[in-house]
Amino acid sequence: MIKTVRSVDELRQCVRDWRSEGLSVGLVPTMGALHAGHMALANRSLETMDRTVATLFVNPKQFGEGEDLDTYPRDEAADGARLEEAGVHLLFAPVVEEMYPPHFATGVKVDGLGDILEGKYRPGFFDGVATVVSKLLNQAGADKAFFGQKDYQQLQVVTRMAQDLNIPTEIEGVPTVREDDGLALSSRNVYLNAEERLAAPVLYKTISHVAQKVKSGEDVSDLEKWGGEQVLAAGFSNVDYLSVHDGETLEPYHDHSRPGRVLVAAKLGRARLIDNVAV
Ligand code: AMP
């Protein structure tokens, strides 16, 4: 069984012991239901750091009204086994009361970056993310923390937050892990039925095509419109956004000399899928 701690005190003690031996420490925050995408973060940490801590916490503050907090897939035993097999040194799996005790009153909000795209469609989502990640970074005191490019806006929000709050943990983004047909791995893919699963890869196919065409100089708003139509034609019920942005500020893409990013969020059956690619 992987060593598992549930209190911040135990987590700090463990990290303190490693640090006193001069060992570097990597942190991999997750909400569990681990798949190969999460394991890519863990493996990146294991390759580059002396010790790796994974965290498992389904953060109620980042779920909105009517979202899937109650039904979110949870299997700590399977997650623990997977992490142990990979060689992760410690699992921090706090209960909600350890993270948010009675009278908890503080929130972290990243203006601008946190209000657009996902922030617009999931109000309060990035406040919940920024709050829990700032806590996890402060609790662990790791040298580096690893986040997936799959959640590209989240990666930018967390990077901004850590810089703004002078948190001395470096944030590293890890490339998206995909199924063979291009669908980005996600804990929420289990919500897709067989027919929807067949349609799902159109998301990646479409944004890849858009990225390629943006690069070759075609009109951005025409491509965004075309992309949305492709996704709807494949059977998605709704496209929240399919748009091209600056790769860092996430502002609308104008300056073709800068890195760009195509981001999409769309609903397919019970699932709301997000994905993104570089221009
Ligand atoms: P979650 O458990 O969904 O909150 O995700 C935890 C971390 O794993 C986040 O940093 C995600 O961006 C990352 N992640 C999720 N899916 C993937 C994927 N397919 N490839 C790479 N990283 C991922």
Side-chain angles (χ1 to χ4, degrees):
M1 264 262 288
I2 185 168
K3 181 175 177 185
T4 304
V5 294
R6 306 208 179 262
S7 74
V8 175
D9 284 347
E10 291 168 291
L11 169 66
R12 286 218 164 108
Q13 186 56 52
C14 207
V15 173
R16 212 169 15 237
D17 290 348
W18 288 333
R19 294 198 155 268
S20 70
E21 296 170 47
L23 299 169
S24 63
V25 180
L27 184 74
V28 179
T30 83
M31 297 205 300
L34 301 183
H35 51 62
H38 299 108
M39 299 318 291
L41 309 189
N43 287 328
R44 176 74 188 146
S45 177
L46 288 164
E47 280 159 27
T48 54
M49 314 301 286
D50 297 317
R51 294 288 179 271
T52 294
V53 182
T55 75
L56 194 176
F57 181 61
V58 181
N59 174 32
K61 285 196 188 294
Q62 69 187 72
F63 286 78
E65 198 97 355
E67 289 189 353
D68 55 348
L69 173 61
D70 294 336
T71 53
Y72 195 82
R74 290 169 168 88
D75 190 346
E76 186 184 315
D79 292 342
R82 197 152 186 185
L83 292 166
E84 181 175 39
E85 192 184 294
V88 169
H89 302 88
L90 182 70
L91 175 61
F92 175 51
V95 295
V96 172
E97 293 71 31
E98 178 71 5
M99 295 298 274
Y100 303 120
H103 311 301
F104 182 91
T106 302
V108 179
K109 177 173 185 342
V110 178
D111 285 330
L113 256 184
D115 298 323
I116 57 174
L117 297 166
E118 284 300 283
K120 194 168 138 200
Y121 289 92
R122 303 179 69 188
F125 170 67
F126 284 120
D127 303 349
V129 169
T131 300
V132 80
V133 173
S134 63
K135 283 174 67 74
L136 290 168
L137 295 177
N138 282 324
Q139 290 163 349
D143 299 282
K144 259 194 194 188
F146 298 84
F147 292 86
Q149 290 177 0
K150 158 75 172 33
D151 301 282
Y152 191 78
Q153 187 178 7
Q154 169 171 288
L155 173 61
Q156 304 309 317
V157 165
V158 166
T159 302
R160 179 83 265 142
M161 176 276 291
Q163 249 179 54
D164 288 353
L165 299 182
N166 304 103
I167 297 178
T169 302
E170 192 186 323
I171 308 299
E172 182 174 320
V174 176
T176 303
V177 177
R178 300 180 179 282
E179 303 281 5
D180 289 341
D181 60 10
L183 176 66
L185 298 192
S186 163
S187 310
R188 289 185 167 111
N189 290 351
V190 297
Y191 298 153
L192 300 171
N193 68 27
E195 194 186 338
E196 291 157 357
R197 176 63 190 81
L198 279 176
V202 84
L203 217 51
Y204 175 61
K205 221 172 280 170
T206 303
I207 56 175
S208 301
H209 190 79
V210 167
Q212 211 176 12
K213 294 289 179 188
V214 169
K215 211 163 138 190
S216 64
E218 288 191 22
D219 183 78
V220 169
S221 59
D222 286 351
L223 286 166
E224 291 173 341
K225 187 163 166 284
W226 175 86
E229 288 164 2
Q230 294 299 112
V231 172
L232 288 174
F236 283 71
S237 61
N238 192 56
V239 179
D240 285 347
Y241 55 84
L242 187 157
S243 44
V244 191
H245 297 263
D246 184 276
E248 229 169 78
T249 65
L250 296 186
E251 280 168 9
Y253 191 62
H254 295 307
D255 183 352
H256 287 242
S257 68
R258 287 183 47 81
R261 205 91 193 172
V262 187
L263 295 105
V264 65
K267 289 203 187 85
L268 182 59
R270 275 176 63 216
R272 182 175 178 280
L273 304 180
I274 63 170
D275 202 351
N276 67 88
V277 292
V279 169

